[in-house]
Amino acid sequence: MRISELSARSGVAIPTIKYYLREGMLHQGRQTAPTRAEYDESHLRRLRLIRALLDVGRLSVSSIKKVVAAVDDESLPFHEMLGTAHYALSPGAQPEPGEDWQQARVEVDHLVEQLGWDVKPHAPARDELAQTLVRMRQLGVAVDLAPYVETARKLVSEVEMDKIPFDGPRDAAVEALVLGTVLYGRVFDALRRMAQESESAARLGS
């Protein structure tokens, strides 16, 4: 297909497609003339991935480049490729001075070990959870992770990971991971808020 058709089918403007090509985020088409190239379904998949990372994941161009590079590196194991996307989606949390943060981080590391989860020591989610535990204690919020751990485990192992097409194109798998992680995260938050409102009404009256 020509770039005009690629634009029409993807919903991405031609100048934006050309920008992605220049930045190496989108692979070049097959050159058919000095100023003409042909594109295929792989370009459509890549554009869907880029838009998912940009519009849903809210990633910067530099972060998207890292994810795309991992997708294109066929020598990189599938698990490492998905991890690159996972880490890019993390809002990040910087270690804080003081014993409170150190204690929380030790707690998180112990929890991961206790659960038998295979999570790398530098995984951003470890610091995020540690930072959240510190804030909870500072605000006097009781810390009870057990029901949330079990809910997360069941959601991921019994539902979410089954939605990722491990036997398909690498960029399609990353797109599914990004959309599932971000959008279903929002779905879960919205459902919790509605459930809380309903339970409040049931206990306290409308």
Side-chain angles (χ1 to χ4, degrees):
M1 73 187 89
R2 300 277 299 278
I3 193 169
S4 56
E5 184 181 351
L6 180 63
S7 173
R9 290 183 60 184
S10 66
V12 179
I14 291 177
T16 304
I17 292 175
K18 289 181 177 179
Y19 170 73
Y20 293 156
L21 288 166
R22 287 196 305 273
E23 292 295 314
M25 297 159 67
L26 180 67
H27 48 292
Q28 297 293 325
R30 183 176 62 85
Q31 208 70 31
T32 58
T35 59
R36 182 181 300 176
E38 289 289 328
Y39 302 90
D40 57 28
E41 294 297 320
S42 68
H43 293 89
L44 277 174
R45 280 198 307 271
R46 176 55 55 85
L47 286 174
R48 283 198 299 267
L49 171 59
I50 293 171
R51 300 313 297 185
L53 293 168
L54 188 65
D55 297 338
V56 178
R58 303 292 185 187
L59 299 189
S60 64
V61 170
S62 60
S63 293
I64 292 174
K65 285 182 177 180
K66 290 178 184 177
V67 175
V68 166
V71 171
D72 289 337
D73 183 0
E74 296 285 346
S75 68
L76 192 68
F78 219 91
H79 173 66
E80 299 295 328
M81 176 191 71
L82 293 179
T84 301
H86 250 142
Y87 290 8
L89 289 172
S90 170
Q94 294 298 319
E96 300 176 5
E99 293 183 4
D100 289 347
W101 194 93
Q102 293 176 359
Q103 179 184 341
R105 181 55 203 262
V106 169
E107 238 181 284
V108 171
D109 293 343
H110 178 68
L111 175 66
V112 171
E113 183 180 357
Q114 190 177 41
L115 293 169
W117 285 357
D118 187 1
V119 180
K120 291 182 178 179
H122 63 276
R126 288 184 185 246
D127 286 343
E128 288 172 44
L129 181 54
Q131 187 181 65
T132 303
L133 293 179
V134 171
R135 297 291 177 268
M136 290 174 75
R137 293 193 172 109
Q138 288 173 340
L139 296 169
V141 178
V143 176
D144 180 13
L145 299 183
Y148 298 92
V149 166
E150 181 57 20
T151 299
R153 185 198 63 76
K154 289 191 69 174
L155 271 175
V156 171
S157 64
E158 298 177 14
V159 180
E160 294 182 351
M161 293 304 285
D162 289 339
K163 295 182 182 295
I164 299 175
F166 295 112
D167 55 350
R170 290 164 66 92
D171 44 7
V174 173
E175 180 191 8
L177 173 73
V178 171
L179 294 177
T181 299
V182 176
L183 295 181
Y184 270 104
R186 294 174 188 167
V187 166
F188 186 67
D189 284 344
L191 288 171
R192 282 183 66 231
R193 290 194 297 273
M194 288 191 289
Q196 287 167 353
E197 179 179 343
S198 178
E199 185 65 16
S200 175
R203 295 189 184 197
L204 305 173
S206 299

